[in-house]
mmCIF file of all heavy atoms in Angstrom:
data_model
loop_
_atom_site.group_PDB
_atom_site.id
_atom_site.type_symbol
_atom_site.label_atom_id
_atom_site.label_comp_id
_atom_site.label_asym_id
_atom_site.label_seq_id
_atom_site.Cartn_x
_atom_site.Cartn_y
_atom_site.Cartn_z
ATOM 1 N N TYR A 255 -10.133 18.481 -17.886
ATOM 2 C CA TYR A 255 -11.192 19.303 -18.489
ATOM 3 C C TYR A 255 -10.757 19.644 -19.914
ATOM 4 O O TYR A 255 -9.627 20.111 -20.119
ATOM 5 C CB TYR A 255 -11.364 20.562 -17.636
ATOM 6 C CG TYR A 255 -12.141 21.681 -18.277
ATOM 7 C CD1 TYR A 255 -13.505 21.542 -18.544
ATOM 8 C CD2 TYR A 255 -11.522 22.891 -18.584
ATOM 9 C CE1 TYR A 255 -14.224 22.600 -19.113
ATOM 10 C CE2 TYR A 255 -12.228 23.950 -19.147
ATOM 11 C CZ TYR A 255 -13.574 23.794 -19.406
ATOM 12 O OH TYR A 255 -14.282 24.816 -19.972
ATOM 13 N N ARG A 263 -16.269 29.626 -21.673
ATOM 14 C CA ARG A 263 -17.413 29.150 -20.892
ATOM 15 C C ARG A 263 -18.430 30.272 -20.682
ATOM 16 O O ARG A 263 -18.075 31.453 -20.779
ATOM 17 C CB ARG A 263 -16.931 28.613 -19.548
ATOM 18 C CG ARG A 263 -16.466 29.694 -18.606
ATOM 19 C CD ARG A 263 -15.863 29.137 -17.349
ATOM 20 N NE ARG A 263 -14.544 28.574 -17.546
ATOM 21 C CZ ARG A 263 -13.655 28.393 -16.577
ATOM 22 N NH1 ARG A 263 -13.951 28.736 -15.344
ATOM 23 N NH2 ARG A 263 -12.475 27.877 -16.815
ATOM 24 N N ASP A 278 -18.575 24.648 -24.559
ATOM 25 C CA ASP A 278 -19.645 23.790 -24.043
ATOM 26 C C ASP A 278 -19.827 23.920 -22.541
ATOM 27 O O ASP A 278 -20.817 23.443 -21.994
ATOM 28 C CB ASP A 278 -19.339 22.319 -24.367
ATOM 29 C CG ASP A 278 -19.721 21.980 -25.801
ATOM 30 O OD1 ASP A 278 -20.272 22.877 -26.485
ATOM 31 O OD2 ASP A 278 -19.460 20.844 -26.231
ATOM 32 N N CYS A 279 -18.850 24.514 -21.848
ATOM 33 C CA CYS A 279 -18.986 24.659 -20.385
ATOM 34 C C CYS A 279 -19.967 25.778 -20.094
ATOM 35 O O CYS A 279 -19.775 26.915 -20.512
ATOM 36 C CB CYS A 279 -17.629 24.967 -19.754
ATOM 37 S SG CYS A 279 -17.773 25.336 -17.990
ATOM 38 N N ILE A 280 -21.011 25.424 -19.347
ATOM 39 C CA ILE A 280 -22.026 26.446 -19.041
ATOM 40 C C ILE A 280 -21.790 27.058 -17.653
ATOM 41 O O ILE A 280 -22.657 27.709 -17.102
ATOM 42 C CB ILE A 280 -23.455 25.862 -19.144
ATOM 43 C CG1 ILE A 280 -23.622 24.689 -18.173
ATOM 44 C CG2 ILE A 280 -23.766 25.459 -20.580
ATOM 45 C CD1 ILE A 280 -25.068 24.281 -17.963
ATOM 46 N N ASP A 281 -20.608 26.805 -17.131
ATOM 47 C CA ASP A 281 -20.183 27.418 -15.867
ATOM 48 C C ASP A 281 -21.192 27.171 -14.742
ATOM 49 O O ASP A 281 -21.458 28.050 -13.927
ATOM 50 C CB ASP A 281 -19.986 28.935 -16.063
ATOM 51 C CG ASP A 281 -18.882 29.463 -15.146
ATOM 52 O OD1 ASP A 281 -18.153 28.632 -14.574
ATOM 53 O OD2 ASP A 281 -18.766 30.678 -15.003
ATOM 54 N N CYS A 282 -21.691 25.945 -14.708
ATOM 55 C CA CYS A 282 -22.714 25.606 -13.703
ATOM 56 C C CYS A 282 -22.096 25.257 -12.358
ATOM 57 O O CYS A 282 -22.796 25.119 -11.361
ATOM 58 C CB CYS A 282 -23.546 24.434 -14.205
ATOM 59 S SG CYS A 282 -22.558 22.924 -14.379
ATOM 60 N N ASN A 283 -20.795 25.052 -12.343
ATOM 61 C CA ASN A 283 -20.058 24.756 -11.108
ATOM 62 C C ASN A 283 -20.356 23.386 -10.493
ATOM 63 O O ASN A 283 -19.927 23.123 -9.370
ATOM 64 C CB ASN A 283 -20.318 25.841 -10.048
ATOM 65 C CG ASN A 283 -19.075 26.659 -9.793
ATOM 66 O OD1 ASN A 283 -18.159 26.665 -10.626
ATOM 67 N ND2 ASN A 283 -19.011 27.336 -8.668
ATOM 68 N N GLN A 284 -21.078 22.551 -11.196
ATOM 69 C CA GLN A 284 -21.407 21.237 -10.634
ATOM 70 C C GLN A 284 -20.144 20.415 -10.401
ATOM 71 O O GLN A 284 -20.047 19.657 -9.440
ATOM 72 C CB GLN A 284 -22.350 20.465 -11.575
ATOM 73 C CG GLN A 284 -23.756 21.008 -11.632
ATOM 74 C CD GLN A 284 -24.418 21.066 -10.281
ATOM 75 O OE1 GLN A 284 -24.305 20.140 -9.490
ATOM 76 N NE2 GLN A 284 -25.079 22.177 -9.985
ATOM 77 N N CYS A 285 -19.161 20.566 -11.288
ATOM 78 C CA CYS A 285 -17.925 19.803 -11.134
ATOM 79 C C CYS A 285 -17.181 20.216 -9.872
ATOM 80 O O CYS A 285 -16.506 19.400 -9.234
ATOM 81 C CB CYS A 285 -17.026 19.985 -12.363
ATOM 82 S SG CYS A 285 -16.768 21.703 -12.832
ATOM 83 N N VAL A 286 -17.313 21.490 -9.497
ATOM 84 C CA VAL A 286 -16.639 21.976 -8.290
ATOM 85 C C VAL A 286 -17.409 21.533 -7.049
ATOM 86 O O VAL A 286 -16.828 21.146 -6.041
ATOM 87 C CB VAL A 286 -16.529 23.521 -8.328
ATOM 88 C CG1 VAL A 286 -15.780 24.041 -7.109
ATOM 89 C CG2 VAL A 286 -15.827 23.971 -9.606
ATOM 90 N N ASP A 294 -11.298 23.250 -8.560
ATOM 91 C CA ASP A 294 -11.977 23.430 -9.841
ATOM 92 C C ASP A 294 -11.081 22.790 -10.907
ATOM 93 O O ASP A 294 -10.009 23.323 -11.229
ATOM 94 C CB ASP A 294 -12.153 24.929 -10.106
ATOM 95 C CG ASP A 294 -12.971 25.188 -11.366
ATOM 96 O OD1 ASP A 294 -13.118 24.262 -12.188
ATOM 97 O OD2 ASP A 294 -13.457 26.331 -11.516
ATOM 98 N N ILE A 295 -11.519 21.658 -11.426
ATOM 99 C CA ILE A 295 -10.691 20.899 -12.369
ATOM 100 C C ILE A 295 -10.449 21.704 -13.647
ATOM 101 O O ILE A 295 -9.498 21.438 -14.389
ATOM 102 C CB ILE A 295 -11.354 19.529 -12.697
ATOM 103 C CG1 ILE A 295 -10.416 18.597 -13.457
ATOM 104 C CG2 ILE A 295 -12.640 19.718 -13.486
ATOM 105 C CD1 ILE A 295 -9.228 18.143 -12.694
ATOM 106 N N ARG A 296 -11.281 22.719 -13.881
ATOM 107 C CA ARG A 296 -11.098 23.529 -15.091
ATOM 108 C C ARG A 296 -9.826 24.373 -15.035
ATOM 109 O O ARG A 296 -9.394 24.915 -16.049
ATOM 110 C CB ARG A 296 -12.326 24.425 -15.305
ATOM 111 C CG ARG A 296 -13.593 23.636 -15.596
ATOM 112 C CD ARG A 296 -14.805 24.515 -15.606
ATOM 113 N NE ARG A 296 -15.015 25.134 -14.302
ATOM 114 C CZ ARG A 296 -15.881 26.103 -14.059
ATOM 115 N NH1 ARG A 296 -16.627 26.582 -15.040
ATOM 116 N NH2 ARG A 296 -16.014 26.592 -12.848
ATOM 117 N N CYS A 309 -16.234 14.687 -10.659
ATOM 118 C CA CYS A 309 -16.500 15.803 -11.577
ATOM 119 C C CYS A 309 -16.871 15.303 -12.970
ATOM 120 O O CYS A 309 -17.629 15.968 -13.694
ATOM 121 C CB CYS A 309 -15.303 16.747 -11.631
ATOM 122 S SG CYS A 309 -13.758 15.944 -12.029
ATOM 123 N N ALA A 312 -20.523 14.485 -12.669
ATOM 124 C CA ALA A 312 -21.329 15.703 -12.544
ATOM 125 C C ALA A 312 -21.457 16.396 -13.896
ATOM 126 O O ALA A 312 -22.546 16.824 -14.297
ATOM 127 C CB ALA A 312 -20.690 16.633 -11.523
ATOM 128 N N CYS A 313 -20.340 16.485 -14.611
ATOM 129 C CA CYS A 313 -20.373 17.199 -15.890
ATOM 130 C C CYS A 313 -21.131 16.412 -16.951
ATOM 131 O O CYS A 313 -21.865 16.993 -17.762
ATOM 132 C CB CYS A 313 -18.947 17.507 -16.347
ATOM 133 S SG CYS A 313 -18.895 18.671 -17.713
ATOM 134 N N ASP A 314 -20.969 15.080 -16.935
ATOM 135 C CA ASP A 314 -21.717 14.261 -17.903
ATOM 136 C C ASP A 314 -23.223 14.442 -17.731
ATOM 137 O O ASP A 314 -23.978 14.490 -18.717
ATOM 138 C CB ASP A 314 -21.345 12.773 -17.733
ATOM 139 C CG ASP A 314 -20.025 12.441 -18.425
ATOM 140 O OD1 ASP A 314 -19.511 13.306 -19.173
ATOM 141 O OD2 ASP A 314 -19.516 11.321 -18.229
ATOM 142 N N ILE A 316 -24.687 17.111 -16.682
ATOM 143 C CA ILE A 316 -25.027 18.430 -17.234
ATOM 144 C C ILE A 316 -25.056 18.364 -18.767
ATOM 145 O O ILE A 316 -25.972 18.884 -19.421
ATOM 146 C CB ILE A 316 -24.003 19.496 -16.765
ATOM 147 C CG1 ILE A 316 -24.070 19.656 -15.251
ATOM 148 C CG2 ILE A 316 -24.229 20.833 -17.465
ATOM 149 C CD1 ILE A 316 -25.393 20.160 -14.711
ATOM 150 N N MET A 317 -24.064 17.693 -19.346
ATOM 151 C CA MET A 317 -24.006 17.592 -20.808
ATOM 152 C C MET A 317 -25.253 16.879 -21.341
ATOM 153 O O MET A 317 -25.813 17.263 -22.371
ATOM 154 C CB MET A 317 -22.740 16.836 -21.255
ATOM 155 C CG MET A 317 -21.444 17.575 -21.002
ATOM 156 S SD MET A 317 -21.328 19.137 -21.904
ATOM 157 C CE MET A 317 -21.369 20.322 -20.562
ATOM 158 N N ILE A 320 -28.155 19.370 -21.279
ATOM 159 C CA ILE A 320 -28.148 20.454 -22.285
ATOM 160 C C ILE A 320 -27.958 19.903 -23.702
ATOM 161 O O ILE A 320 -27.771 20.663 -24.652
ATOM 162 C CB ILE A 320 -27.074 21.520 -21.973
ATOM 163 C CG1 ILE A 320 -25.654 20.918 -22.049
ATOM 164 C CG2 ILE A 320 -27.311 22.172 -20.632
ATOM 165 C CD1 ILE A 320 -24.543 21.964 -21.978
ATOM 166 N N LEU A 326 -16.833 16.281 -21.486
ATOM 167 C CA LEU A 326 -16.155 17.577 -21.389
ATOM 168 C C LEU A 326 -15.070 17.481 -20.307
ATOM 169 O O LEU A 326 -13.988 18.024 -20.448
ATOM 170 C CB LEU A 326 -17.180 18.674 -21.046
ATOM 171 C CG LEU A 326 -16.633 20.094 -20.924
ATOM 172 C CD1 LEU A 326 -15.939 20.535 -22.199
ATOM 173 C CD2 LEU A 326 -17.753 21.076 -20.566
ATOM 174 N N ILE A 327 -15.410 16.767 -19.234
ATOM 175 C CA ILE A 327 -14.369 16.360 -18.284
ATOM 176 C C ILE A 327 -14.255 14.845 -18.449
ATOM 177 O O ILE A 327 -15.266 14.134 -18.421
ATOM 178 C CB ILE A 327 -14.749 16.707 -16.827
ATOM 179 C CG1 ILE A 327 -14.942 18.216 -16.677
ATOM 180 C CG2 ILE A 327 -13.663 16.231 -15.873
ATOM 181 C CD1 ILE A 327 -15.455 18.639 -15.308
HETATM 182 S S1 SF4 B 529 -19.853 20.658 -14.706
HETATM 183 FE FE1 SF4 B 529 -19.159 20.822 -16.813
HETATM 184 S S2 SF4 B 529 -20.425 22.453 -17.642
HETATM 185 FE FE2 SF4 B 529 -20.586 22.625 -15.437
HETATM 186 S S3 SF4 B 529 -18.954 24.037 -14.844
HETATM 187 FE FE3 SF4 B 529 -18.086 22.005 -14.716
HETATM 188 S S4 SF4 B 529 -17.114 21.717 -16.700
HETATM 189 FE FE4 SF4 B 529 -18.533 23.405 -16.951
#
Side-chain angles (χ1 to χ4, degrees):
Y255 165 67
R263 71 186 74 159
D278 279 357
C279 174
I280 59 166
D281 212 12
C282 65
N283 249 19
Q284 289 303 317
C285 50
V286 182
D294 185 343
I295 191 66
R296 295 172 298 170
C309 54
C313 192
D314 280 350
I316 296 297
M317 292 298 113
I320 64 171
L326 181 58
I327 299 174

